[in-house]
Amino acid sequence: MERNTTVRDTSFIASTGKEIKSASITSTNNGISTVYSGRRNPRRPFRWLNPGVILPLLAGILFLFLWEFQVFHKLLDLKKYQLPLPSAIAEAMRDNFSLLLSYTGYTLAEAAAGMLIGSACGFLIALAATAWPRWGGGSLTLVAALNAVPIVALAPIMNLWFGDGIGSRAAIVTATTMAAMAINAYKGMSAVDPLALDLMHSYAAGKPAVFRYLRIRNSLPYVFTAFKINTTASMIGAIVGEFFFSSRGLGYLLSNSVKVAKMPLGWSCIVLAAIAGVIFYLIVERLEKVFIKWHSSQRA
């Protein structure tokens, strides 16, 4: 005779990384079976109240509190014009909201255009280096050498080549983001499973098929790692490039604000640049979850 025992409303983390909201586990003398009901777990109405969210939030509030009440000024012997209070920065952001929003969009456009061009060039270099390894190592070395050139040295050259428009800053970002993509993509294309490579060869697959079905697919996690590195690098390149030759953008406004001692406005540019960089990073991270959801790193 079969004997059943049922455990009610059990929630747990599945292998996909998502929480199973409610499940019934039934044990019988023939084994254990699980039935997912799909209902939201009524025992956790405030799931967002977890340490991973609350602790960083409290730390940020404490940091702003200490800053507003000038604790850092006393510790570091700073004046208000050297380190404006958060309330003064918020007031400057409110008074110049439309200008700051316009300049943030301009800087983001420079960073996104340069990063896409630089990443595409880096990926093509990695493809060529993997397909023709005899001289591929040399091309990677040249890209790494270009990445070592300081932005302050690149900016005048790019301005002479591309003028003082958006093209010069996009070229600076292209030069600073190419190496990360080339090196990471080359690593992904080279580090393929030898057994998978032998299997492709046993099927008489040519080099294009090996690249299409094995090497490029294996490089995608490395490619998105390079994209995430380049999101912050591209914002730095665009803002520093605007210091030298530009009439728009967060870097231009920051430089001018410091020159005329409008420090709260300058700090507003820093805050918006940080927010834009975080949003840029989160967009790439979301795209990573969409395009390589099959990879083990996205299922953990």
Side-chain angles (χ1 to χ4, degrees), residues 21-38:
K21 296 168 183 173
S22 183
S24 297
I25 300 177
T26 303
S27 61
T28 68
N29 55 354
N30 294 327
I32 298 176
S33 62
T34 305
V35 178
Y36 304 110
S37 65

Side-chain angles (χ1 to χ4, degrees), residues 114-115 117-119 147 172-182 230 233-234:
M115 190 192 77
I117 297 172
S119 298
N147 190 55
I172 293 170
V173 175
T174 298
T176 55
T177 56
M178 199 184 304
M181 176 58 72
N230 284 342
S234 61

